[in-house]
Amino acid sequence: MKIRVGFGFDVHALVSERELWLGGIKLEHEKGLLGHSDADVLLHAVCDALLGAANMRDIGFHFPDNAGEYKNIDSKILLARTMELIRSKGYELGNIDATVCAERPKLNPHIPAMKKAMAAVMNVDEDDISIKATTTEKLGFTGREEGISAYATVLITKE
């Protein structure tokens, strides 16, 4: 069995008049994330980690932010296509360990719904997805509530 590890990171600015999408679910918040797509930083970090683990470059290579077809796209579609890409090379997800950094909204109550949404899109068991939430103790752009960042590590396997 071949085992590979990948790491992903993403960040988007928080702005008014945008919906807040994280982990494939919509959260009620006065601001949302700015981006070409729905700007779901968690799903983008996971896509980058998966693509990196499979040595398939990054999310921007496969889904460029200057392509009209991806304007305002639901990042769950990008995640599903990323799974198709890695599976085309014979890889399957082992597990995901992800962390989202945000001062607000509080994310812990939403983690079960995020795991459920991601597992459904990826066609994997919810137990294969770990999502953690943290703040930056009011430090930096995250602490000032200017943006949200996410980190993801994945393990993929090939028989």
Side-chain angles (χ1 to χ4, degrees):
M1 174 186 296
K2 186 172 202 167
I3 297 173
R4 296 181 67 120
V5 176
F7 174 76
F9 169 76
D10 196 36
V11 62
H12 284 279
L14 279 165
V15 296
S16 299
E17 299 183 25
R18 285 276 295 192
E19 294 178 343
L20 179 58
W21 286 87
L22 281 174
I25 65 168
K26 183 180 169 188
L27 301 179
E28 292 303 318
H29 193 56
E30 66 268 14
K31 292 184 178 180
L33 294 169
L34 180 63
H36 186 70
S37 67
D38 65 9
D40 188 324
V41 293
L42 176 54
L43 296 192
H44 294 182
V46 169
C47 287
D48 260 352
L50 289 163
L51 292 165
N55 193 22
M56 298 181 81
R57 303 202 47 183
D58 59 37
I59 191 172
F61 177 80
H62 292 279
F63 315 111
D65 66 4
N66 57 3
E69 66 196 279
Y70 302 118
K71 181 71 175 158
N72 296 320
I73 195 168
D74 182 336
S75 292
K76 290 187 296 292
I77 295 169
L78 303 181
L79 181 59
R81 290 183 185 168
T82 297
M83 290 302 293
E84 290 171 6
L85 286 168
I86 70 159
R87 286 178 173 139
S88 74
K89 285 185 76 174
Y91 290 106
E92 189 51 62
L93 178 72
N95 72 298
I96 298 169
D97 184 24
T99 301
V100 180
C101 300
E103 291 296 322
R104 292 184 317 114
K106 291 298 181 193
L107 301 178
N108 278 321
H110 305 287
I111 288 174
M114 291 178 191
K115 289 175 59 169
K116 182 176 184 168
M118 290 172 64
V121 168
M122 300 173 78
N123 195 26
V124 300
D125 193 295
E126 287 180 45
D127 194 49
D128 295 335
I129 302 170
S130 170
I131 302 170
K132 303 175 303 295
T134 192
T135 69
T136 58
E137 301 295 331
K138 308 228 182 277
L139 298 172
F141 74 89
T142 304
R144 293 187 300 270
E145 298 184 39
E146 295 170 6
I148 295 176
S149 61
Y151 303 83
T153 303
V154 302
L155 176 82
I156 60 174
T157 61
K158 183 191 284 191
E159 291 298 326

